[in-house]
Amino acid sequence: GVRGVVRDGAGRILPGALMTVASMAEGATPAYTWNVKVDGTYHVILNPGMYRLTFDYMGRTTTKNVTIGADRLELDVDL
């Protein structure tokens, strides 16, 4: 899986930011979207594979392509 904290450029947490997870595998299920927690953290359990993670907060968006293996990935995001 993957987990981390979503912050703005000044280091402030962004509670309620939207996170979308989409598998990059051919024929994969549709993307899933939800809000990060009140403390700005997120934790998603994912099967090994390649994923596109998109984070959005009030029009600021960033996308990260990640490969999930057997170990948990730590990924903090600045918007």
Side-chain angles (χ1 to χ4, degrees):
V2 59
R3 72 178 184 179
V5 179
V6 181
R7 296 182 174 95
D8 67 9
R12 296 178 295 242
I13 62 168
L14 297 176
L18 291 177
M19 177 185 183
T20 302
V21 176
S23 173
M24 296 172 68
E26 191 171 323
T29 58
Y32 296 95
T33 301
W34 57 92
N35 292 86
V36 300
K37 296 179 183 177
V38 174
D39 62 0
T41 63
Y42 68 93
H43 180 203
V44 182
I45 298 171
L46 299 168
N47 291 324
M50 295 177 64
Y51 294 87
R52 177 173 291 115
L53 309 179
T54 303
F55 299 87
D56 181 76
Y57 185 78
M58 298 181 75
R60 291 178 283 177
T61 302
T62 189
T63 299
K64 306 284 185 181
N65 293 331
V66 298
T67 300
I68 304 297
D71 296 326
R72 182 177 56 225
L73 176 65
E74 300 282 339
L75 179 68
D76 291 341
V77 177
D78 292 324
L79 290 176

